[in-house]
Amino acid sequence: MKKKILAVLLTAAMTATLAAGCSGGSSGSGESSGGDSAGAAEDMTFVVVPKCVHAWFDEVNKGAQKEADLLSEQLGVEVKIDYRAPEAAEVSEQNSVLEQAAATEPTAILIDPVDYDGSADIISEIQDRGIPVILFDSPSPEGSGLTSVGNDFAEQAEIAVDMLIEEMGTSGKVAVMQGAPTAPNHAERYQAHLDALAQYPDIEVIDGGIDNDNVETAQSQAAAVLAANPDLTGYLNCDACGAGVAAAIEEKGMQDQVTFVAMDNLIEILDYVKTGTITATSSTLPQEQGMYAVLMAYQAAQGMDLPAMVDTGIGRITADNVDEWIEIVSAE
């Protein structure tokens, strides 16, 4: 909780500093678009391209809009968020959205790639056009030079396993559900789950299905896993589709048998923590990711050097603090 407050204060302080620099003069050309000149105070548009339509990305968008509003207030210009979500987590669909976004000549583009390799050429073309690109909720590929806003995805999975063991113990049968397998953050979490569970020889790990970033798919996949494994004692997943897994657990009446540790702080996930169907959840703090991704995009548009990684931290949410998190997320 303290980290969240510090993040907001740091954002405000950084924005105020940038505002002071931005109002300090003009480049003299008066014709630069987006943020080509640190002395120009011009309207800006940041395009946010998530993997797909999903409530988690809606929270990222809320954070992005909050930062845009703060920048507008500090800089005295209109800062817009153009949120463009592909219908499905498919590379071809996301690439089409990227091309359409680039055609609008925005100040910068923020993207969570479905598959970075599948979008690398388009991202390079966008950068060649002078449009900065910032990654969020995805690690920066080696050699790409891109700034990534997110967290240590392996650590997040390790935290989830720790919380599972605290409740379930060191023996049992655990299913691990994948998200979008081509997404680097999902793949990293999945492997980290498996590596952490491998430390416990009395835990049998089974395939928990693939949800492809879709809550309904998560529910149907989990229902099949639960039906085939009536002796299941634990469940983990790799994305923000835990509400689907929780619904399947409730449908089977296995809340008292299956310890489920989810991912992220969406309100529907927090509600399941409140009822106990979800034991705990480790959160990537999507609201902070949206805020800092916009701030990094603004700095990139001003030609400033950026860090390779902005770590927004990991939230640990249990029955002990879920009410606090429900209040925070509901207020966003």
Side-chain angles (χ1 to χ4, degrees):
M1 204 62 59
K2 290 180 179 178
K3 187 160 190 174
K4 180 181 180 72
I5 296 170
L6 287 172
V8 174
L9 292 175
L10 180 58
T11 302
M14 291 176 70
T15 306
T17 301
L18 291 168
C22 191
S23 62
S26 171
S27 66
S29 66
E31 295 180 356
S32 62
S33 62
D36 291 340
S37 170
E42 299 179 352
D43 294 346
M44 292 176 280
T45 299
F46 298 103
V47 180
V48 178
V49 182
K51 287 191 185 80
C52 60
V53 174
H54 194 290
W56 189 89
F57 293 114
D58 292 340
E59 295 302 312
V60 173
N61 188 34
K62 288 180 184 178
Q65 188 59 61
K66 176 181 284 189
E67 184 63 30
D69 292 344
L70 182 58
L71 283 169
S72 294
E73 179 182 348
Q74 293 287 340
L75 303 177
V77 298
E78 184 176 12
V79 180
K80 297 179 182 178
I81 299 299
D82 182 1
Y83 183 68
R84 298 177 176 236
E87 286 298 320
E90 297 177 359
V91 177
S92 59
E93 191 167 342
Q94 190 177 51
N95 285 347
S96 178
V97 171
L98 275 176
E99 290 172 343
Q100 294 167 15
T104 68
E105 297 294 333
T107 307
I109 294 177
L110 293 60
I111 178 173
D112 179 7
V114 174
D115 179 354
Y116 177 81
D117 290 339
S119 299
D121 289 344
I122 292 177
I123 290 174
S124 293
E125 291 172 7
I126 291 170
Q127 291 178 299
D128 289 342
R129 294 170 63 172
I131 302 171
V133 176
I134 301 293
L135 303 181
F136 66 92
D137 199 43
S138 180
S140 180
E142 187 175 353
S144 70
L146 294 172
T147 290
S148 170
V149 177
N151 62 310
D152 186 325
F153 305 111
E155 181 187 5
Q156 185 184 12
E158 291 161 3
I159 288 171
V161 171
D162 287 345
M163 292 193 291
L164 178 79
I165 296 302
E166 286 174 9
E167 182 68 21
M168 187 192 76
T170 59
S171 63
K173 187 176 187 179
V174 177
V176 184
M177 180 176 286
Q178 298 185 63
T182 61
N185 55 337
H186 292 186
E188 188 173 343
R189 288 192 195 109
Y190 180 67
Q191 187 58 51
H193 276 134
L194 299 183
D195 292 344
L197 289 169
Q199 300 176 41
Y200 303 97
D202 293 329
I203 291 180
E204 178 187 358
V205 181
I206 67 168
D207 180 7
I210 300 173
D211 64 46
N212 282 311
D213 243 338
N214 183 279
V215 175
E216 289 74 22
T217 302
Q219 183 172 349
S220 63
Q221 292 275 296
V225 171
L226 293 166
N229 298 275
D231 57 341
L232 196 72
T233 58
Y235 223 125
L236 295 164
N237 74 322
C238 297
D239 60 10
C241 292
V245 177
I249 291 172
E250 286 193 348
E251 285 176 356
K252 293 291 289 183
M254 297 175 71
Q255 302 96 305
D256 295 334
Q257 174 182 327
V258 177
T259 299
F260 175 34
V261 176
M263 292 272 169
D264 285 307
N265 66 359
L266 302 185
I267 191 65
E268 57 265 33
I269 292 173
L270 299 180
D271 287 341
Y272 276 116
V273 175
K274 179 80 171 174
T275 65
T277 302
I278 295 177
T279 300
T281 181
S282 60
S283 176
T284 53
L285 310 179
Q287 301 84 1
E288 276 82 350
Q289 287 201 32
M291 287 178 4
Y292 278 102
V294 170
L295 185 58
M296 291 300 102
Y298 169 73
Q299 292 189 35
Q302 302 305 310
M304 300 178 68
D305 292 332
L306 302 183
M309 170 67 178
V310 177
D311 190 340
T312 54
I314 302 166
R316 298 174 183 237
I317 304 172
T318 67
D320 293 335
N321 63 357
V322 67
D323 287 335
E324 202 171 352
W325 277 99
I326 288 174
E327 183 177 349
I328 289 170
V329 173
S330 298
E332 291 287 348

